[in-house]
Amino acid sequence: MKFLRENFPDLAFAQLDGEGFAIVDKAKDQIFRVYYKGKKLSCSKHGQAICDHKLYASFHPKFIG
């Protein structure tokens, strides 16, 4: 968690029931959903491209795929 706070200070984690996870981006005042599409991780805004939201979710201990 220390790594996440230091490297992603504007992001916060929220679990969604059965629909993946929400990443709150305080700097952009937006919420992004991170979920698995098949075997690939996907972001509601960036799709399957690499983004901070997917990286943050991947390192978060509550994110389980």
Side-chain angles (χ1 to χ4, degrees):
M1 292 304 297
K2 181 180 177 183
F3 171 82
L4 292 176
R5 283 190 296 275
E6 289 175 359
N7 292 286
F8 302 98
D10 294 326
L11 300 182
F13 184 85
Q15 186 168 350
L16 302 174
D17 292 335
E19 295 295 322
F21 298 86
I23 305 298
V24 179
D25 192 328
K26 299 172 200 170
K28 296 178 182 172
D29 196 26
Q30 293 182 329
I31 298 172
F32 301 93
R33 187 167 67 98
V34 176
Y35 57 97
Y36 278 96
K37 189 172 186 178
K39 292 187 177 188
K40 295 189 177 190
L41 197 57
S42 193
C43 173
S44 60
K45 180 172 181 166
H46 303 102
Q48 294 181 357
I50 295 172
C51 68
D52 284 348
H53 311 115
K54 288 175 23 180
L55 291 172
Y56 181 86
S58 297
F59 285 110
H60 199 285
K62 290 187 179 177
F63 185 78
I64 300 170

